Amino acid sequence: MSLLIAAFLAFVGTAGGAKYSLDDLAARDAERSDALRLQTELQRLMTLLVDVETGQRGFIITGQQPFLRPYEDALAELGTLRGSLMPRLKDSGIHPDMLKQLNLLINMRLGQAKQVIERRMTGGDAVARDLSAYVDGKRVMDDLRFQVEQLAQEQQRRVATVDRLTQDVQERTTWLTHLLMGVGLVTLGLAVAMLYREHRLRDQAEIALRDANAGLESQVAQRTEALSRALLRIRSFASELDRSIETERRRLAREVHDQIGQVGTAIKMLSLSLRAKLAPRTEPLLDELQELADESIRSARQISAALRPPLLDELGLEAALGHYLQALGRQTGLKTELALDDADMLSRDQANPLFRIVQEACTNVLRHAQANTLRVAGRPYAEDQRDGYELEVLDNGRGPGGTRADASGLRGMRERAALAGGVFDFGPALGGGTRVRVWVPLEAPGSSDRQAEEEGVWQ
């Protein structure tokens, strides 16, 4: 009788533990699903903000009302999404200050977009040439991306915690099952029927656990695939946006050089003609007019080169960087050196971000490094069994010191490298100073030609 009572109590205890474990698993599953849904909605929030950015920029550039459609659709969905997302983020344990900061950044970006659109409606094409709106908008969008990424990482930590707790529950269930088997062996002679019944219950519990785990794995795989597709779309959009910016820079540089430069040249020719007609008389105003014409020609060339160095399109990366570093040395007294090996292996789409990264790195050297020498070197370099090209910017300044890893300049260089499919490193150089390194994979033969054809069509 004592053995039967012990077996009965063991069975009751094990069954209760199994039920508690199943309830706990269901609760953990609900919490995990909620965290994954929050991650997806955060990604959707960022996508809507990008749509706001796209619609705003399209309208600023073209001034046509249809380009506002992504902006208006995103605003309509954004209000509903924020209304449901913010309380759930607060309930998930997110600190109220983070949510307050997120709402503040969203309102700031929407306010900027609305203000720029209103200015475009009233101010016309002149607003499109005002770069301050783009700079302010990019800064707020960068802060928003960082904030959303922090919130998504917090939800990922929730998922990891739930997975760990689920594993603990499974181990506890296994332990209870083994305990029941031990008690069944002791009472085998007196409780064969009870042991058989318990065996059936244990099998059912294991099947339920396997089904639950299979369902969870399937959901995670589906949502991971969806997030990967969304990330791929975002990267594709960012690459296309960067390519459009470079195309617009090229067009503006050509317009500035052709239009303003031609006007300056015409003024200079007219002043020379007037001087010849007035000879031997002299007119001081003609000297001043000729100086103004020369200044306008120089300004047109400088603005055109700043927007898009013509050598980058005509002679490639090595020639463009050589001209840029020579000009930098003349203007600042900085001793510059360029050593590029096989730079012609790079396509135009790869040369563009590398040139911009070097520009930003040189700007940081002038602002912070207190250096007197600057070296830019590049060579083909295979990484992770992939053919690629490595470019380094080295100075002999005071080193990175307390430079923040999320500083806007470093973040911009890192984003350009990522859009090119490469990697970006920043740190101290051997022997002192700072080292900026970027590596990009080499494109397959023919891809750059196809891209050039596409750009030619759009131009």
Side-chain angles (χ1 to χ4, degrees):
M1 182 62 69
S2 298
L3 290 174
L4 289 174
I5 292 175
F8 175 77
L9 292 177
F11 170 75
V12 172
T14 304
K19 183 179 182 304
Y20 172 79
S21 298
L22 288 174
D23 293 340
D24 198 7
L25 280 175
R28 300 302 176 191
D29 177 45
E31 185 176 358
R32 180 191 178 97
S33 299
D34 180 68
L36 291 174
R37 281 195 298 271
L38 284 175
Q39 282 184 315
T40 303
E41 291 179 7
L42 285 169
Q43 188 66 50
R44 180 58 183 166
L45 175 67
M46 200 64 232
T47 301
L48 292 176
L49 291 172
V50 171
D51 289 344
V52 169
E53 186 79 4
T54 303
Q56 170 212 301
R57 291 192 179 184
F59 180 72
I60 291 174
I61 294 173
T62 63
Q64 298 180 9
Q65 196 69 25
F67 283 86
L68 277 179
R69 183 63 182 272
Y71 168 82
E72 295 168 349
D73 293 344
L75 281 184
E77 186 177 350
L78 198 58
T80 304
L81 181 60
R82 288 176 66 186
S84 64
L85 180 60
M86 294 304 172
R88 292 174 57 206
L89 286 173
K90 183 178 180 181
D91 293 340
S92 69
I94 299 298
H95 197 278
D97 290 343
M98 291 184 67
L99 299 180
K100 183 178 179 181
Q101 179 67 15
L102 178 61
N103 276 318
L104 180 63
L105 290 171
I106 293 175
N107 292 334
M108 184 182 302
R109 187 64 197 103
L110 295 179
Q112 288 175 342
K114 181 179 179 182
Q115 183 180 9
V116 172
I117 290 173
E118 291 175 352
R119 287 175 55 200
R120 180 64 175 86
M121 290 179 176
T122 58
D125 293 337
V127 179
R129 296 188 293 271
D130 184 9
L131 297 180
S132 61
Y134 294 107
V135 173
D136 293 340
K138 183 180 183 304
R139 177 181 59 80
V140 176
M141 284 298 293
D142 289 342
D143 293 341
L144 274 169
R145 289 189 181 94
F146 176 76
Q147 196 76 11
V148 171
E149 182 179 354
Q150 294 296 314
L151 293 173
Q153 290 177 357
E154 186 65 26
Q155 299 306 314
Q156 187 59 40
R157 284 192 287 271
R158 284 183 63 198
V159 172
T161 302
V162 170
D163 289 342
R164 187 173 62 255
L165 293 175
T166 301
Q167 184 177 2
D168 293 342
V169 172
Q170 291 174 341
E171 292 176 355
R172 185 172 65 249
T173 302
T174 303
W175 181 84
L176 289 173
T177 302
H178 292 164
L179 176 63
L180 178 62
M181 291 176 63
V183 174
L185 290 174
V186 174
T187 59
L188 182 60
L190 301 175
V192 174
M194 294 177 63
L195 182 60
Y196 175 73
R197 182 171 177 269
E198 173 59 25
H199 181 70
R200 285 172 46 191
L201 293 175
R202 179 170 52 84
D203 289 343
Q204 292 174 1
E206 289 179 352
I207 292 173
L209 286 173
R210 285 198 299 269
D211 292 342
N213 288 334
L216 286 174
E217 291 176 358
S218 175
Q219 291 180 6
V220 170
Q222 292 174 0
R223 288 166 184 168
T224 301
E225 183 181 358
L227 289 175
S228 299
R229 289 197 301 267
L231 180 60
L232 214 58
R233 288 195 298 270
I234 291 174
R235 286 183 175 175
S236 176
F237 169 77
S239 298
E240 184 61 30
L241 182 61
D242 188 66
R243 190 178 299 114
S244 300
I245 291 174
E246 289 297 333
T247 302
E248 184 64 15
R249 281 175 175 267
R250 188 183 300 111
R251 188 189 68 80
L252 290 176
R254 185 170 57 249
E255 291 295 329
V256 168
H257 182 273
D258 293 345
Q259 299 298 327
I260 300 179
Q262 289 177 6
V263 171
T265 302
I267 294 174
K268 183 176 180 179
M269 298 301 296
L270 287 175
S271 66
L272 292 174
S273 177
L274 285 175
R275 185 185 300 276
K277 290 181 178 181
L278 292 175
R281 293 174 52 195
T282 59
E283 177 58 56
L285 290 177
L286 287 178
D287 295 334
E288 185 175 353
L289 181 62
Q290 188 169 347
E291 291 178 359
L292 290 175
D294 291 337
E295 180 63 28
S296 67
I297 294 172
R298 284 194 299 270
S299 298
R301 290 174 179 172
Q302 291 174 356
I303 294 173
S304 176
L307 285 171
R308 178 73 180 185
L311 290 177
L312 188 60
D313 294 321
E314 297 171 1
L315 299 179
L317 179 64
E318 185 173 6
L321 284 179
H323 182 269
Y324 173 74
L325 292 177
Q326 288 178 2
L328 191 68
R330 289 195 305 270
Q331 296 168 3
T332 64
L334 195 66
K335 182 180 178 182
T336 62
E337 179 184 352
L338 177 66
L340 294 186
D341 297 334
D342 299 326
D344 53 352
M345 299 174 65
L346 296 166
S347 67
R348 285 173 54 185
D349 280 349
Q350 293 169 319
N352 289 339
L354 289 179
F355 182 83
R356 297 301 179 189
I357 289 173
V358 172
Q359 274 189 318
E360 183 64 33
C362 292
T363 300
N364 289 340
V365 170
L366 296 177
R367 288 179 179 174
H368 311 295
Q370 299 178 3
N372 51 34
T373 63
L374 175 68
R375 184 173 188 269
V376 178
R379 69 185 192 279
Y381 181 78
E383 186 169 296
D384 295 333
Q385 299 181 349
R386 298 171 64 196
D387 292 334
Y389 198 86
E390 180 184 63
L391 190 68
E392 292 182 322
V393 180
L394 304 166
D395 67 69
N396 66 342
R398 61 180 184 179
T403 304
R404 295 184 295 108
D406 61 341
S408 60
L410 295 178
R411 186 167 55 245
M413 289 187 283
R414 188 175 290 107
E415 288 177 356
R416 286 185 181 276
L419 287 178
V423 293
F424 172 84
D425 294 319
F426 171 80
L430 293 176
T434 303
R435 172 179 178 262
V436 172
R437 173 187 178 270
V438 61
W439 177 91
V440 296
L442 292 175
E443 294 183 353
S447 60
S448 60
D449 297 336
R450 288 193 300 271
Q451 183 60 43
E453 292 176 2
E454 292 175 3
E455 290 187 1
V457 171
W458 284 105
Q459 291 175 1

